[in-house]
């Protein structure tokens, strides 16, 4: 069968696929543009794709032979899951393996913004090492502060575990509270979104992007945060209305932000890159060698199973596929 891989992966990850299938891969380290993607999928049975590939009605119409979509990533807001389900196409994803890497990056951003790690590095590199003085170049303490986690799923919980090592008070907001024993396990307490925003020194976002979470953090929510608080986003850029964040930073309504994701990635809202109290990373939440290798392996397992007409081991819609396919 014919497989298209939209992203440049190490060839060895595809060895198993190439034993039995014909593989075409985007060999450039850039996402394909829409026209290239549409042209490539026409005759393919399997698609291994990622965040930059919009998988919608138009694409699925074009890819009429498609038997499986294997997403290289846990977030799937770029895939029209309903449209794939209607066409009987299983959609695989890679949950779990990137939990620790993403939680680490969230914590790296917390520490970096609070203790001005990037600003300090820039000062030293540029030869402007500030002379040590008791009240020069001060940051904010992380230990003992209040962390507000919005979205207490796999990654949110992993962030809460890290916060325990810093003796932090952990508040969280989810549509539904965890079971009491889980709250105890993660040393965390459910509060309303409003309370979380008002009381937290660090607000860290860990929700998927859905119509309900788009612009979850807008001007009104930022206005609830303490002027000494920091916003951390390692989830999806559009969860934060970036122009409102720029306004809040400019007005001093919050003290800073640590971001790994952007509303119109890779573009930034005008002014965002001008704040020294903002740390900006290039969407590297899962970018460790170990994690990306595991994601590749999982995506390939999902792809091969789907091509064989079997349930991909990590599948978003198998039970909902029409014609009882998923019931087998
Ligand atoms: C994910 O897995 O969703 C990461 O953000 C990479 O797309």
């Amino acid at each position: 069968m014919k497989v298209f891989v939209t992203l440049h992966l190490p060839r060895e990850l595809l060895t198993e696929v190439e034993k039995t299938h014909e593989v075409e891969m985007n060999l450039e380290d850039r996402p394909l543009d829409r026209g290239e993607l549409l042209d490539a999928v026409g005759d393919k049975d399997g698609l291994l794709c990622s965040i930059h590939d919009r998988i919608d009605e138009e694409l699925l119409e074009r890819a009429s032979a498609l038997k499986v979509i294997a997403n290289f990533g846990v977030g799937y807001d770029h895939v029209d899951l309903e449209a794939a389900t209607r066409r009987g196409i299983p959609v695989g994803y890679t949950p779990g393996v990137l939990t620790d890497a993403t939680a680490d990056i969230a914590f790296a951003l917390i520490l970096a913004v609070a203790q001005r790690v990037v600003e300090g590095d820039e000062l030293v590199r540029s030869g402007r090492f500030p002379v040590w003085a008791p009240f020069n170049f001060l940051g904010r303490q992380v230990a003992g502060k209040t962390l507000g986690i919005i979205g207490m799923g796999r990654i949110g919980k992993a962030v809460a575990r890290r916060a325990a090592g810093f003796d932090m008070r952990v508040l969280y907001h989810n549509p539904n509270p965890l079971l009491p024993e889980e709250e105890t396990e993660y040393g965390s307490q459910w509060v309303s979104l409003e309370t979380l925003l008002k009381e937290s020194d660090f607000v860290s976002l860990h929700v998927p992007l859905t119509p309900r979470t788009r612009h979850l953090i807008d001007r009104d929510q930022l206005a609830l945060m303490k002027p000494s608080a920091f916003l951390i986003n390692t989830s999806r850029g559009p969860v934060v209305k970036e122009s409102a964040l720029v306004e809040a930073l400019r007005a001093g309504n919050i003290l800073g932000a640590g971001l790994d994701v952007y509303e119109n990635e890779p573009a930034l809202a005008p002014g965002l890159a001008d704040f020294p109290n903002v740390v900006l990373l290039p969407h590297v939440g899962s970018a460790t060698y170990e994690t990306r290798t595991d994601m590749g392996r999982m995506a390939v397992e999902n792809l091969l199973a789907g091509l064989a007409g079997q349930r991909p081991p990590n599948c978003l819609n198998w039970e909902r596929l029409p014609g009882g396919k998923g019931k087998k």
Side-chain angles (χ1 to χ4, degrees), residues 51 72-75 98 236 283 286 295:
I51 180 177
F72 181 92
V74 68
L98 41 70
R236 281 290 184 263
H283 199 144
S286 62
M295 288 165 72

Side-chain angles (χ1 to χ4, degrees), residues 229-248:
F230 297 92
L231 179 71
I232 308 296
N233 191 9
T234 54
S235 62
R236 281 290 184 263
V239 173
V240 177
K241 183 154 184 203
E242 222 166 82
S243 57
L245 175 61
V246 170
E247 265 177 52

Side-chain angles (χ1 to χ4, degrees), residues 49-54 71-73 75 77-78 235-236 261 265 283:
C49 60
S50 76
I51 180 177
H52 290 293
D53 308 310
R54 186 157 40 85
N71 184 49
F72 181 92
D77 44 280
H78 55 294
S235 62
R236 281 290 184 263
V261 288
E265 231 167 277
H283 199 144

Side-chain angles (χ1 to χ4, degrees), residues 57-70:
E57 283 284 1
E58 183 192 26
L59 182 138
L60 295 172
E61 190 70 47
R62 207 53 102 80
S64 56
L66 208 56
K67 294 168 185 60
V68 60
I69 297 166

